[in-house]
């Protein structure tokens, strides 16, 4: 016991849930998580859990527990740790449940960063595409979806290109995505198509028509080259003058 030190940190308890403030930029309340906590408490009893807030009563860790305890009319035990903010909140959350791309998008959008606000609008307006796919398209990063995770997470996401032209491209992709039938990574096909569809050598009307015809269905796609081969075959079906999709793509993203 000689190596155990006592720290002067008070623990408070309250049933007045209104004293707690949810930190702007934190991810939203997930009702599934709240209900899971409620069920666990009902099945196993209340386990000792401490909610962490800062000096402004903004919740750093424990917002789902507060919502669950509110449903159960149980008191909330909490500690006040001065100086903590959103960065600490994210650190707490990452250690318990990993933040997803949409959590970072929502967080930065709530803080008023314009590029994230635009990205969030695209996420809301084009639900058939994943947030990471939309971020990739708006970043102009080709099909390298993994490359977008760092700028999205660290607040350095910047839209590349004219937003009106990007929206036009998204409208086209949204209109044809149901006709893209492949085994494996359909998202890679979407990202590759977004990367080349505005090139002068490619006719959008022909691409849409060929996709709707459904030629070359159920091709296996696991990488960029697979997607390029698929689009090459679809677009060039019965076309005398072939468009070399690999050359067009790699010339742009060399």
């Amino acid at each position: 016991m000689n190596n155990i030190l006592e720290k002067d940190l008070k623990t408070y308890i309250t049933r007045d849930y209104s004293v707690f403030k949810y930190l702007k930029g934190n991810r939203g309340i997930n009702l599934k998580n709240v209900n899971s906590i409620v069920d666990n408490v009902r099945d196993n009893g209340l386990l000792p859990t401490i909610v962490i807030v800062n000096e402004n009563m903004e919740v750093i860790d424990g917002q789902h527990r507060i919502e669950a305890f509110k449903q159960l009319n149980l008191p909330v035990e909490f500690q006040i740790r001065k100086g903590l903010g959103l960065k600490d909140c994210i650190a707490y959350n990452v250690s318990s449940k990993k933040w997803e791309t949409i959590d970072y998008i929502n967080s930065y959008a709530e803080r008023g960063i314009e590029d994230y606000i635009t990205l969030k609008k695209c996420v809301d307006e084009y639900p058939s595409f994943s947030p990471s796919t939309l971020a990739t398209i708006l970043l102009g990063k080709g099909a390298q979806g993994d490359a977008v995770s760092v700028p999205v997470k660290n607040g350095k996401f910047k839209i590349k290109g004219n937003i009106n032209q990007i929206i036009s491209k998204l409208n086209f992709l949204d209109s044809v995505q149901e006709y893209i039938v492949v085994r494996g990574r359909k998202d890679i096909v979407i990202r590759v198509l977004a990367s080349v569809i505005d090139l002068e050598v490619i006719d959008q009307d022909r691409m849409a028509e060929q996709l709707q015809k459904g030629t070359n269905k159920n091709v296996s796609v696991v990488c960029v080259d697979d997607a390029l081969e698929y689009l090459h075959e679809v677009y060039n079906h019965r076309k005398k003058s072939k468009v070399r999709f690999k050359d067009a793509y790699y010339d742009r993203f060399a």
Side-chain angles (χ1 to χ4, degrees):
M1 297 293 289
N2 292 335
N3 293 327
I4 299 177
L5 302 176
E6 181 179 352
K7 188 173 183 181
D8 185 18
L9 191 63
K10 293 181 179 179
T11 299
Y12 303 87
I13 188 167
T14 185
R15 271 195 174 88
D16 183 2
Y17 313 108
S18 67
V19 301
F20 299 106
K21 303 173 186 176
Y22 291 151
L23 193 63
K24 186 176 181 179
N26 192 8
R27 58 183 167 186
I29 298 294
N30 185 317
L31 291 179
K32 184 178 179 180
N33 288 355
V34 174
N35 292 334
S36 177
I37 295 170
V38 169
D39 291 340
N40 186 54
V41 171
R42 284 173 174 164
D43 292 342
N44 304 303
L46 182 61
L47 296 175
T49 54
I50 305 296
V51 169
I52 305 300
V53 300
N54 63 18
E55 65 273 23
N56 300 315
M57 294 300 291
E58 295 172 322
V59 179
I60 304 300
D61 181 49
Q63 61 180 9
H64 288 91
R65 276 167 278 158
I66 292 172
E67 290 299 316
F69 287 11
K70 188 187 300 184
Q71 288 188 31
L72 296 164
N73 194 30
L74 290 172
V76 176
E77 293 187 42
F78 65 97
Q79 292 178 347
I80 300 174
R81 301 188 183 182
K82 295 181 179 181
L84 298 185
L86 184 60
K87 184 182 292 186
D88 306 288
C89 182
I90 294 173
Y92 272 102
N93 285 324
V94 167
S95 67
S96 58
K97 182 180 182 296
K98 187 178 179 182
W99 272 39
E100 298 177 357
T101 300
I102 189 60
D103 295 317
Y104 288 98
I105 294 171
N106 288 336
S107 177
Y108 287 114
E110 281 188 20
R111 282 179 268 176
I113 302 176
E114 288 297 329
D115 290 270
Y116 285 89
I117 292 172
T118 301
L119 176 54
K120 187 180 185 309
K121 287 180 181 177
C122 289
V123 170
D124 293 338
E125 293 176 13
Y126 299 96
S128 57
F129 304 133
S130 71
S132 59
T133 291
L134 289 167
T136 302
I137 294 171
L138 269 64
L139 270 172
K141 287 288 187 180
Q144 307 305 318
D146 294 339
V148 308
S149 62
V150 172
V152 168
K153 291 179 180 179
N154 66 15
K156 296 183 178 180
F157 173 82
K158 294 291 182 185
I159 296 171
K160 181 180 179 181
N162 181 284
I163 188 60
N164 292 325
Q165 292 176 353
I166 295 172
I167 293 300
S168 177
K169 181 185 296 187
L170 289 174
N171 288 335
F172 171 80
L173 294 170
D174 197 39
S175 70
V176 301
Q177 59 87 21
E178 64 180 298
Y179 305 112
I180 298 173
V181 182
V182 297
R183 286 180 285 111
R185 298 287 303 278
K186 179 177 176 177
D187 62 306
I188 293 181
V189 178
I190 295 293
R191 295 174 188 187
V192 169
L193 184 55
S195 303
V196 298
I197 197 60
D198 57 343
L199 294 175
E200 290 185 6
V201 293
I202 297 175
D203 184 329
Q204 287 193 14
D205 291 336
R206 176 180 175 82
M207 176 59 81
E209 181 181 343
Q210 291 299 102
L211 287 169
Q212 289 181 48
K213 286 180 178 178
T215 57
N216 214 28
K217 283 186 176 181
N218 281 321
V219 172
S220 177
V221 174
V222 296
C223 64
V224 171
D225 282 352
D226 290 342
L228 288 166
E229 184 65 28
Y230 165 77
L231 292 172
H232 176 93
E233 294 298 325
V234 169
Y235 185 83
N236 290 314
H237 184 66
R238 294 183 178 176
K239 187 176 187 297
K240 291 182 179 180
S241 179
K242 310 291 185 185
V243 173
R244 299 173 64 87
F245 273 73
K246 283 188 178 180
D247 290 347
Y249 177 85
Y250 286 114
D251 282 347
R252 171 168 279 190
F253 298 103

